[in-house]
Each structure stands twice: as C-alpha cells, then as structure tokens.
Amino acid sequence: MARQAQERIAIMGDEAVALAVKQSNVDVIAAYPITPQTIIVERLSEYVANGELDAAFIQAESEHSALSICVGASLAGARVFTSTASQGLALMHEIVYATSSMRVPMVMAIANRSLNAPLNIHCEHGDVMPERDSGWVHLFATNVQEAYDLTFIAFKLSEHSDVQLPVSVNLDAFILTHSVEPLTPISDDDASRFLPPRQPLYSIDFDNPATFGTMALPDTYMEFKYQLKEAAERAGQVYPKVAEEYARISGRRYWYFNSYMADDADAIVLVLGSTYGTLKAAARRLRESGLKVGVIGLTMFRPFPENQLVELLKNAKSLIVMDRAYSYGGLGGPLYMETLAMLYRNGLRVPAMNVVYGLGGRDFRLDEAESVLKMALDGARRGRFDEHVIWWGVRA
Amino acid sequence: MVLVEIRWHGRGGQGVVTGSNLLARAAIVEGNYAQHFPEFGPERAGAPVRSYTRISDEPIDIHCGIYEPDIVVIIDPVMSKTPEDYAYGLKKGGDLVLNLPPDNSEKVAKWARDNGYRLHVVDARKISLEETGGREIYNVPMLSALLRVKKLASLETLEKVLAERFSGKVLEMNLKLSRRCYEEVKTIVG
C-alpha cells in the first residue's frame, strides 16, 4: 500500500475519534451523550445527518440500551461503534461482560472520567478499571494522534478472526478529549483498504439459525469462559500484526507501549494515558543532566503485555508505577498490583512503588513529574522504597 | 520557535476557550506544533476561567496546566485592571496583553515595569461597543492584538481560521473587530 502524503490538521481529541470512526465506515452507532465524550457522538450525528457517513445513528434512552443495541447490530454483521464515560460506562457494566463473553466485535471510545461520588467530571481511569476483567481489549492513548490511530487499529483487531472481541480506546477526559492538537490523518482510501467492509465470522442468518448469548449450565459454562481467556490472550499476539499493517499506511508504528529511554534506565516510571507525555518531557530534562531515567506508557492494558514488559524491565534498578485509579482496601492501584504480580512470577525483584495521582482530574504538573522520576532514582540508589503506596500531593 | 506557553484569563461566556483554541489552530495551520486545552470548572457565566495554549516548532509531549507562562492574556476589561491577581507565575520579561484603554493604564504600567513584564493594551471593550452597537466581544479581538505583538501567527492565518469557524454576520463582525484591535494595540512597556 502506498503511503499518501497528508497534511497536519488541528483537531480536538473527541473530533479526532469521530473522524476515525467515520473513515472506518461504521454501519451502526448507538450512544447516549455524557461529558466529556459528547462531542464524539455529536460529530458522528452530524456526519450521518449531512450524508458524509452512511450509517444508522441511534440515540438510545440510556447507556445500558446503547450497548445492547450495539450487541444486536454487531451480531447482525454490522461494524459498530459506541462511546461513553464514567457513570455511563458503569450503567453499561452488565452488557460490557455480555459483549465480550458473546464474542461480539465492536469499538467503544471511553473518555476516562471519575465515578461518583463526589460528583466530578474530570479525568480518572477509575471508570474503565471495573471493566478490566471483562475480556475486552483495553487500549490507552497518550495524545490526540494516538486516539485517532488506535481507533482504526481497534476495529481491525476486534474483527480479526482469531480475536472476535470488543475493544475500548481510552482517552483522558478533557486533557485529550477537549485538547486541540495537530493530527496527521490517513486518507479515506487508505482507511478503506485497511478496513474493508466487515466480513462477520458468525452472524444472525435466518437460513442458518444459531443461538447467541445462550444459557450455559455448570457442565459447559467454564468452557465458554476458557475460550474467552484464550481469545483475550490471542488478541495480544494479533495486535502487533495489525499495528504493523497500520504502520504501512500511516508511517506510525504502535507497540504494546510507548517508551522513552527505558532500555538503559536505572529508574523507570510506568503509567497509562496522557501523563506519559509529561513524564517524557521531564525525563528528557533529567537525561540532559545525565540522570538515567526512563518512562513507559502502556498502550495495551488488556491483554497485559507481560513478556514485552519483563524484557524492558529486567535490568531496571527501581520502578514506580503510577495509577490514576485505586482499588480501595487493596494493595494499591490496578496497574501497580498487576505489575507486582508480573515482577514476582518472572523472578524480578526490582523495588517497586505505587504513586496514586490525578484522581478527579487533579493536574499532574511537569515539576511533579520530575519529582516522581527523582524519587524513582532515589529508590534505585538505595535499592528500596520506604513505602508501598503514595497518594501524590494529597492533603491528609 | 522554542516552546511558548500562553495562559488566558477571562469570565465564563466571554470565549476564553475559543480564543485559545483559535490560536492553536492558527499556529498549526502555519506548520507549527500547538496544543490548546481548557480548564473546565463549574460552567457558570461570569466566573473566572482559564485556558492554555502551547506553541512550538517541535512536537509537544506535555499534558498539564501552565504555571509559568511566557504570555498572559486577560480578555475581561475589569479583570484587566488588576493583572496582579491573574499574572501569577508569569516569567520575568514575559508579556501581558490586557483589555484596557491605552491612555488610562498608568497604574498597571507601573506595576508591569516594577515586575519586569512587557505590557500591551488595547481597548477591545470600546472597539467592540462601537463596532457592534453595544455588544462586548473580546476573545477574537484580544487574540488579534496578541498576534500583532507576539507574531505567533499572521493576521491572515487568523482570518482563514475564523472563516472555517464562523460565517455570515458573525464572521464579518469578528473580522472587523480583529482588524481594528490588530491596528490599535499599543505596547506601553516594551
């Protein structure tokens, strides 16, 4: 495929996702508006209304219904998209599990926002984490360009014959959804070549009736769930192939994570979402003064890229895992707990600490990013951290 | 262009977010990298609000607020009278762009001089009242004043970006206001 030269345009994160969905030639969009993803479905409804996108746009009466409509449409063979955040995702929760367990391909953008209470509309990953164990593939964008690119990758991965799972594309509330940044789009032709019309493996067909979402009693239920486990793990193997194919048309190569100078770093900070960029900018400054710090921003959180992360972390002397979510009463944030388990079972005894930050949209500044990196360096020098979990900047 | 960080202040409803948004778009149209992001609090008309713009000739990785801006723009004429309340963190030698009558800015000029800031003022309030028959439109006019004194993008590019966003009478009015503010902005402390 020839790569066509494209100019940079200025676009808001939500608009970028909507553009990618339009170029992906979706057939059905069902959603219910919620801040801060509303602009995604607003733009999509405009595309449908003015004839730029030939799709059914259905505003449901709730998120629970929106996702249910998406399940039905996908089972009928359609390429399907929805989008939500926070309370909306919580209301979808029941159907989120049905979607993955019924092996229904679709893409959902999640504008990561905190969950009530207290009422707050700002950035947090606490909304998607309750869906962590559902069998969905969860991808995280660190900027507007990634939110756009990952949307195409998500459709391709979701519909892949070895995967057949729903995929979420996560973008930070306001920090990415409402940011204007430069975007280099792919052409409509390249998009159509990358995502030709969907060829469903199984779909509702009156001539060949099948049962979807069947009841399974104790004698078969575990086999259904084992197949889900296998499919979720296969998604991790298929992902780099899909990403490579996308790289050929876009020139942008995606991997399980972004990393900045992690290869030879003594101290590494691991994070999800837009904070990766702030940490990278801080790490660049520290590297200029010869401090060996590195940063990893996880693109794929589910399936968890264990082998690739272990490879990158095996020589590190310390690790700080940053979580914009928390497991109350647990050992820390979800990314931290997962990482600890990974380190332990791979025999890595690198000191690891959890920094919980930015809940409810609290800003995480460049100078704070520098402080966390220095804290990681201090852990590397001393071979230990004094605490397991720090709530960054909290007034206690 | 090395990284330039701009913080916008005004009141909910005055279009602080749009001003910052249009600046980022103009910079990107000219081939630079830029980032605009709003700070959304409770969305009440009249409450002080902030917005942020970063512009650079290199990709911008940072995703956080601006605490030590190179430039502070205050689009509200009343807030412009007490820039000391809003210019916190402004770098030494940094630029302030205020919505004030140039011939009535001695007090603010003394404060700017004492703090080592450059000061640019334009009476966007008067210009808007005159040109629109009583409406107070500050965001695009203050943006064009900023472009005159800091050359972050050309007026021509701004007009192109405005034409993508607005049409008809609204576009016409914004073009008229921005041209006048571009002409009438004065550097009081250089």
Side-chain angles (χ1 to χ4, degrees):
Chain A
M1 284 177 209
R3 191 185 151 203
Q4 299 174 8
Q6 290 282 322
E7 263 189 42
R8 282 204 300 269
I9 58 167
I11 198 165
M12 201 181 278
D14 274 350
E15 294 172 333
V17 172
L19 178 62
V21 172
K22 183 187 87 163
Q23 291 184 291
S24 299
N25 296 312
V26 295
D27 303 302
V28 176
I29 302 149
Y32 186 84
I34 183 170
T35 300
Q37 70 76 32
T38 309
I39 300 164
I40 299 178
V41 288
E42 272 177 11
R43 290 295 174 272
L44 286 168
S45 70
E46 286 165 15
Y47 287 141
V48 172
N50 66 20
E52 284 181 76
L53 172 60
D54 181 19
F57 182 93
I58 304 162
Q59 178 163 335
E61 73 274 23
S62 75
E63 286 87 351
H64 188 282
S65 304
L67 190 54
S68 301
I69 291 165
C70 287
V71 168
S74 181
L75 287 176
R79 179 169 292 151
V80 175
F81 175 81
T82 188
S83 175
T84 192
S86 181
Q87 310 305 126
L89 183 55
L91 189 55
M92 283 180 176
H93 183 69
E94 181 186 8
I95 312 301
V96 166
Y97 277 67
T99 309
S100 48
S101 291
M102 287 166 69
R103 308 289 301 281
V104 176
M106 75 170 68
V107 173
M108 168 156 63
I110 304 174
N112 301 111
R113 158 185 158 179
S114 61
L115 277 172
N116 292 354
L119 176 61
N120 173 293
I121 58 170
H122 294 278
C123 181
E124 191 180 309
H125 299 146
D127 58 355
V128 66
M129 289 305 165
E131 316 309 337
R132 178 190 65 176
D133 302 334
S134 61
W136 282 58
V137 174
H138 295 298
L139 305 175
F140 281 77
T142 73
N143 58 35
V144 169
Q145 181 77 59
E146 287 190 10
Y148 171 87
D149 291 334
L150 289 173
T151 302
F152 294 102
I153 290 172
F155 276 114
K156 187 98 176 173
L157 184 59
S158 174
E159 294 170 10
H160 194 284
S161 58
D162 290 339
V163 179
Q164 297 284 299
L165 285 174
V167 179
S168 81
V169 175
N170 291 267
L171 63 162
D172 284 348
F174 294 105
I175 303 169
L176 296 184
T177 60
H178 286 60
S179 270
V180 172
E181 291 188 354
L183 176 85
T184 308
I186 61 172
S187 71
D188 289 348
D189 286 348
D190 280 345
S192 297
R193 274 194 290 270
F194 183 69
L195 282 171
R198 185 181 161 202
Q199 300 290 335
L201 274 188
Y202 311 99
S203 63
I204 295 169
D205 175 357
F206 291 105
D207 295 330
N208 297 290
T211 305
F212 299 93
T214 180
M215 182 175 178
L217 292 173
D219 60 334
T220 54
Y221 182 89
M222 255 181 103
E223 282 67 32
F224 276 96
K225 290 299 188 182
Y226 187 75
Q227 288 183 16
L228 176 60
K229 167 205 174 287
E230 294 281 295
E233 289 171 13
R234 276 199 306 276
Q237 292 149 24
V238 171
Y239 170 72
K241 295 176 200 156
V242 171
E244 178 56 34
E245 202 180 319
Y246 188 73
R248 283 204 293 273
I249 59 161
S250 68
R252 293 181 294 274
R253 189 161 268 99
Y254 285 82
W255 187 234
Y256 299 96
F257 38 73
N258 288 293
S259 67
Y260 177 74
M261 301 199 91
D263 293 333
D264 71 333
D266 290 337
I268 291 177
V269 177
L270 174 65
V271 74
L272 288 166
S274 63
T275 305
Y276 170 74
T278 309
L279 283 161
K280 182 181 169 188
R284 197 181 291 127
R285 283 191 190 178
L286 295 184
R287 279 277 176 172
E288 281 166 15
S289 18
L291 299 171
K292 289 176 81 174
V293 292
V295 186
I296 304 172
L298 212 50
T299 304
M300 179 175 260
F301 177 65
R302 277 290 182 273
F304 199 72
E306 178 178 20
N307 296 338
Q308 294 77 14
L309 269 180
V310 164
E311 188 56 32
L312 197 54
L313 290 171
K314 66 179 186 214
N315 297 319
K317 298 194 176 94
S318 78
L319 176 67
I320 286 181
V321 183
M322 294 188 66
D323 269 291
R324 204 161 198 159
Y326 199 67
S327 176
Y328 298 90
L331 302 185
L335 182 57
Y336 169 71
M337 290 194 286
E338 188 96 23
T339 306
L340 281 192
M342 174 193 73
L343 295 175
Y344 185 84
R345 79 179 197 181
N346 286 278
L348 296 182
R349 291 297 173 265
V350 54
M353 183 172 72
N354 192 198
V355 168
V356 178
Y357 77 106
L359 302 188
R362 184 168 295 183
D363 200 17
F364 185 71
R365 305 185 308 256
L366 185 61
D367 63 304
E368 294 177 296
E370 211 169 296
S371 300
V372 168
L373 287 162
K374 284 181 175 161
M375 198 177 271
L377 271 175
D378 187 55
R381 259 192 297 269
R382 296 192 298 131
R384 64 188 291 267
F385 290 107
D386 295 330
E387 288 175 84
H388 295 305
V389 181
I390 293 179
W391 277 53
W392 187 260
V394 78
R395 299 185 295 274
Chain B
M1 185 184 311
V2 290
L3 179 66
V4 178
E5 297 186 309
I6 302 125
R7 197 174 62 215
W8 297 73
H9 294 265
R11 297 187 186 278
Q14 288 177 337
V16 167
V17 172
T18 304
S20 168
N21 183 327
L22 293 170
L23 172 57
R25 284 175 194 271
I28 291 169
V29 165
E30 292 200 351
N32 278 306
Y33 291 89
Q35 180 191 63
H36 143 76
F37 57 104
E39 187 174 278
F40 283 105
E43 290 166 28
R44 297 165 301 178
V49 291
R50 283 178 292 205
S51 196
Y52 306 96
T53 329
R54 290 191 171 94
I55 302 174
S56 173
D57 55 10
E58 286 177 17
I60 297 165
D61 295 316
I62 308 172
H63 284 94
C64 64
I66 293 172
Y67 298 89
E68 293 177 358
D70 301 285
I71 301 167
V72 168
V73 183
I74 306 178
I75 73 167
D76 177 72
V78 177
M79 291 165 73
S80 287
K81 289 180 185 170
T82 57
E84 62 274 20
D85 293 340
Y86 306 101
Y88 43 86
L90 178 61
K91 283 180 189 151
K92 279 269 173 283
D95 291 86
L96 263 169
V97 186
L98 304 180
N99 183 355
L100 284 179
D103 52 5
N104 190 19
S105 54
E106 300 83 16
K107 196 177 127 247
V108 171
K110 182 183 180 313
W111 174 81
R113 218 174 276 117
D114 291 349
N115 285 277
Y117 301 142
R118 284 184 284 212
L119 175 66
H120 319 275
V121 304
V122 62
D123 198 349
R125 181 169 182 275
K126 190 189 87 184
I127 293 169
S128 178
L129 289 175
E130 282 174 12
E131 295 287 345
T132 66
R135 292 183 64 187
E136 296 172 71
I137 296 166
Y138 301 143
N139 55 354
V140 173
M142 293 304 290
L143 170 55
S144 69
L146 168 66
L147 294 185
R148 173 70 181 271
V149 296
K150 292 309 291 181
K151 315 276 182 244
L152 299 166
S154 70
L155 183 64
E156 200 187 355
T157 305
L158 174 63
E159 291 182 350
K160 213 160 85 183
V161 169
L162 287 174
E164 282 168 16
R165 173 99 180 204
F166 304 110
S167 59
K169 277 190 176 149
V170 177
L171 173 64
E172 218 173 279
M173 186 175 65
N174 272 296
L175 290 176
K176 208 192 286 176
L177 288 175
S178 62
R179 278 172 201 157
R180 261 196 78 183
C181 286
Y182 191 85
E183 287 307 317
E184 295 185 24
V185 62
K186 286 208 165 61
T187 298
I188 303 288
V189 182

